[in-house]
Amino acid sequence: MRCAKKPVQGYSFFRDGVLPEWESTKDGGHFVLRVETPAVAAVWLDLLLACIGGAMPGVVGVRAVAKTRSVKLEMWHGAEWDDVQAWLEAQTWPEARVVGHKMHAGL
């Protein structure tokens, strides 16, 4: 098996004491959003403010990873994540959509 060795370009912001590693949030997981390039700044700002502002205690970090035609944003959560899912479902971003959710336990 061959893997392409290209650098990953992205940003991450995590609460103090949480690393952007699955092992750091083994009781949690993350939601994955695909965002069209023109809307990245607005959606990223919303996710950052949700993490920083403490409106959702379940959010422990956010990550942005550049892809070829879009940007993948991840909203990482701890064990309590119902409020995170409800918040994401209430957003009205026409250029962004939740495309997945992964729990970190067992990974």
Side-chain angles (χ1 to χ4, degrees):
M1 176 187 269
R2 234 173 95 191
C3 295
K5 293 201 183 231
K6 68 179 195 180
V8 174
Q9 295 184 2
Y11 296 97
S12 61
F13 179 89
F14 283 79
R15 291 195 176 166
D16 192 31
V18 179
L19 300 173
E21 301 170 349
W22 290 358
E23 297 84 5
S24 187
T25 57
K26 60 185 169 200
D27 293 333
H30 68 275
F31 288 92
V32 178
L33 295 87
R34 289 275 181 214
V35 185
E36 294 175 18
T37 306
V40 169
V43 176
W44 174 249
L45 180 61
D46 286 349
L47 296 179
L48 272 176
L49 292 176
C51 184
I52 295 169
M56 288 184 297
V59 176
V60 297
V62 292
R63 258 185 62 182
V65 179
K67 295 292 184 181
T68 305
R69 284 171 259 205
S70 64
V71 173
K72 178 176 80 167
L73 299 179
E74 298 174 352
M75 190 169 221
W76 288 43
H77 60 79
E80 300 294 323
W81 55 277
D82 290 341
D83 60 335
V84 180
Q85 183 174 12
W87 184 84
L88 285 171
E89 289 172 354
Q91 300 310 303
T92 56
W93 301 308
E95 305 89 353
R97 60 190 171 87
V98 176
V99 296
H101 178 252
K102 292 183 180 178
M103 292 301 292
H104 297 167
L107 295 177

